[in-house]
Amino acid sequence: MREWWVQVGLLGVPLLAVYLHIPPPQPSPALRSWRSSGTFFTHRGRNIFYRDSTGAVGSSDVVILLHGFPTSSYDWIKIWEGLTQRFHRVIALDFLGFGFSDKPRPHRYSILEQADIVEGLVRHLGLRHLRINLLSHDYGDTVAQELLHSAAAAFCRGTGIAGISFAVRSLQTPFFPGSEQFLGPTLSPRRQSSGICGQQSGITTGISVLQYINQRKQHRERWVGALMSTSVPLHLIYGPLDPVNPHPEFLQLYKKVLPMSTVSVLDDHISHYPQLEDPMGFLNSYLNFINSF
């Protein structure tokens, strides 16, 4: 009698072959509309999807939206119109490996690469000399932290980060996975002398993209330190029902480590995706922050 694993293999190989040849599901009408309203730019040979809307007349403010894992720029659809009434430019992209952007495999995905893509988009749109607001969620929070850290990089040559707002699952790791082990006394952030810009899906793809979790641990001092040392206004929009960053422990730790950051706490039933669960409450919280400086 053959070993059981041989029998499983003989059965599994044809099943896997069938699975790999199943065509991907077609986008919904709403997603097709989202895609048709955007476009692509090429970054180091990869096609990156983004959407760029011109909004409020008389405003020069720009906001770039950084989505979370494992979703896409479509996460911002419910607050998009509201943002265009306040900002001159509202911009969102799909990170490499997400949404309508290319999904190369095999590929070593990294937060540093995603931040470099944001920098590339800023250059592509001719925004390098404007002050930019970053609104981020989940995975995008860590990309925003890297952009803060790389103050001397191309993104910040003449470009000021006006303010950063983190949506609910902000800074999961390395900031908080249930204890202070990532924020102990060994963390010793140093302020960069220049300040912040002078302004005080295949199987292989999915596995590769998940490497950001290990990267958060590896670069905890780099990214948490960037937050602790910056003079850029910070704001957290928090849903108390978030299962990843439980209330009240996460909020207590956040305020302890970043006492200079302002915080908006939404209704008790709001969880991981506040911009979708409570778009009006989320939008009002964000605009109150933007209008405060």
Side-chain angles (χ1 to χ4, degrees):
M1 181 177 179
R2 293 177 177 177
E3 297 289 344
W4 65 269
W5 55 268
V6 174
Q7 298 180 40
V8 170
L10 291 173
L11 178 63
V13 168
L15 290 177
L16 179 61
V18 170
Y19 170 78
L20 292 176
H21 286 84
I22 294 176
Q26 294 301 306
S28 66
L31 277 176
R32 288 198 295 270
S33 175
W34 184 263
R35 178 170 181 167
S36 66
S37 65
T39 187
F40 292 82
F41 83 106
T42 302
H43 180 82
R44 299 187 178 181
R46 310 295 188 186
N47 293 318
I48 304 298
F49 174 84
Y50 71 95
R51 187 176 181 188
D52 178 8
S53 293
T54 301
V57 176
S59 171
S60 60
D61 291 345
V62 177
V63 61
I64 296 179
L65 314 177
L66 307 177
H67 69 81
F69 177 91
T71 49
S72 70
S73 58
Y74 188 75
D75 284 353
W76 305 107
I77 187 170
K78 289 189 177 181
I79 63 170
W80 193 267
E81 183 177 353
L83 290 173
T84 62
Q85 295 174 15
R86 170 59 177 81
F87 291 93
H88 174 60
R89 298 279 289 277
V90 180
I91 301 163
L93 75 159
D94 289 349
F95 291 125
L96 185 69
F98 297 80
F100 295 119
S101 292
D102 281 353
K103 302 169 183 63
R105 57 180 185 180
H107 185 76
R108 186 178 294 276
Y109 291 87
S110 76
I111 293 297
L112 277 68
E113 177 186 36
Q114 305 288 20
D116 187 55
I117 290 171
V118 177
E119 294 171 6
L121 179 59
V122 168
R123 292 191 297 271
H124 174 75
L125 296 176
L127 304 176
R128 293 176 59 187
H129 301 293
L130 296 179
R131 298 177 68 214
I132 294 172
N133 298 279
L134 298 178
L135 175 56
S136 64
H137 175 237
D138 187 74
Y139 184 92
D141 294 343
T142 312
V143 177
Q145 289 171 262
E146 172 58 24
L147 290 170
L148 267 181
H149 174 82
S150 60
F155 178 76
C156 292
R157 292 173 188 155
T159 302
I161 301 178
I164 292 185
S165 184
F166 297 107
V168 72
R169 197 181 173 188
S170 170
L171 322 178
Q172 176 208 352
T173 308
F175 196 85
F176 181 77
S179 74
E180 296 191 34
Q181 61 178 308
F182 298 108
L183 292 172
T186 57
L187 181 64
S188 55
R190 294 177 293 278
R191 179 183 296 276
Q192 297 187 18
S193 59
S194 63
I196 300 301
C197 314
Q199 303 289 330
Q200 304 278 116
S201 317
I203 299 174
T204 306
T205 300
I207 295 173
S208 298
V209 170
L210 279 170
Q211 291 303 309
Y212 81 94
I213 297 175
N214 292 330
Q215 293 166 24
R216 281 174 162 177
K217 297 175 183 178
Q218 178 185 357
H219 298 296
R220 64 185 184 277
E221 181 168 344
R222 175 189 182 101
W223 291 333
V224 179
L227 293 177
M228 296 177 68
S229 63
T230 186
S231 61
V232 169
L234 302 175
H235 188 70
L236 170 70
I237 303 175
Y238 180 63
L241 203 59
D242 179 12
V244 178
N245 293 319
H247 186 271
E249 293 85 0
F250 171 76
L251 203 55
Q252 292 169 349
L253 178 57
Y254 183 90
K255 291 179 177 179
K256 176 182 176 181
V257 176
L258 299 175
M260 68 290 199
S261 174
T262 52
V263 176
S264 295
V265 180
L266 301 179
D267 291 343
D268 289 346
H269 67 281
I270 304 303
S271 179
H272 179 62
Y273 280 88
Q275 70 272 42
L276 295 175
E277 299 172 50
D278 183 14
M280 187 57 64
F282 181 94
L283 183 63
N284 288 337
S285 296
Y286 182 60
L287 295 182
N288 286 338
F289 164 63
I290 289 298
N291 293 332
S292 69
F293 61 90

